[in-house]
Amino acid sequence: MLGSGSAGNSALVATNHCKILVDGGLSARQIALRLEQCGVTPEQLDGVLLTHEHGDHVCGLEVLCRKFDVPIYANSQTTEAVRCDCSLDRHRNWRIFRTGAEFKICDVTVQTFPVPHDAVDPVGFAFFAGASGLGFITDLGYATKMIVERLRQVHTLVIETNHDEKLLQADIHRPWPVKQRIQSRHGHLSNSAAATVIEELLPGKIDRVVLGHLSRDCNTPALALETVRTALNKSGKIDIELFCATQSEVSPRFCIGETQRGDFQPTFENAFFPAA
Ligand SMILES: [Zn+2]
Ligand SMILES: [Zn+2]
């Protein structure tokens, strides 16, 4: 996770052969800096995958793609929205997928599926390389049955824990309609809603959960972790690795299919996925 929170989101998914950016919602400078911390240059990216067109997922793309001709993978409605809003109209290197489609970027199989959120055609992803699977759902009001089914084969899940319900209720800065939007079925997952999704996946292969997209003033990493950990303990699952990503720092590298994480290697010799 290069950075995650309501102010900006970007993540790097990599194998020995492939480097994919998921969303570009940090400044281009920050994306480049944080990639560098992972031993990756923007030129090495095989593509940028977009979940949806909101600014906290795409704001760095215009500058990044003006400098580096990285292919952008998105569905057609998201592409249209981003091209209009972000002056990416001059970017030529688009790879348009149909929501629900499965495709390959190098040795990574990407499955896409719709998620309920107030964007034109928001999606979640499941990535597979070799025997390793990674699920990626941020920005969704609730998890549909189909989303849960799509994530049953993943080992690591990135999921949003946007807000603590009590803190959101008590917040004095957000007007009521904004609170309603966040809590709606096309808004964002609360800590406890995310915990419920994770519980549903426990019979599957999941062994690690990375929490992200936390609201700056209606959540804290401690609250999100505690809510999810309490739910896992109740389910008798104490061996699931839990981590909360932050806005300001690159997370440790997570090796999918292994529950031990290590620091980033400056040379990026090690893969996120074991070789197929
Ligand atoms: Zn967002
Ligand atoms: Zn959004």
Side-chain angles (χ1 to χ4, degrees), residues 5 18 24 70 72 86 124 131 155 163:
C18 187
V70 190
I72 303 179
C86 300
H155 300 87
H163 56 276

Side-chain angles (χ1 to χ4, degrees), residues 9 56-57 139 213:
N9 296 275
D56 58 321
H57 297 261
D139 298 61
H213 210 300

Side-chain angles (χ1 to χ4, degrees), residues 52 54 56-57 117-119 139 181 188 213:
H52 64 302
H54 287 163
D56 58 321
H57 297 261
H117 185 59
D118 56 358
D139 298 61
R181 187 229 136 204
H188 290 278
H213 210 300

Side-chain angles (χ1 to χ4, degrees), residues 93-112:
N93 206 346
W94 291 91
R95 313 268 163 98
I96 313 290
F97 61 80
R98 249 182 244 280
T99 298
E102 178 178 313
F103 52 89
K104 289 207 101 161
I105 305 178
C106 310
D107 61 339
V108 177
T109 300
V110 183
Q111 292 181 353
T112 67

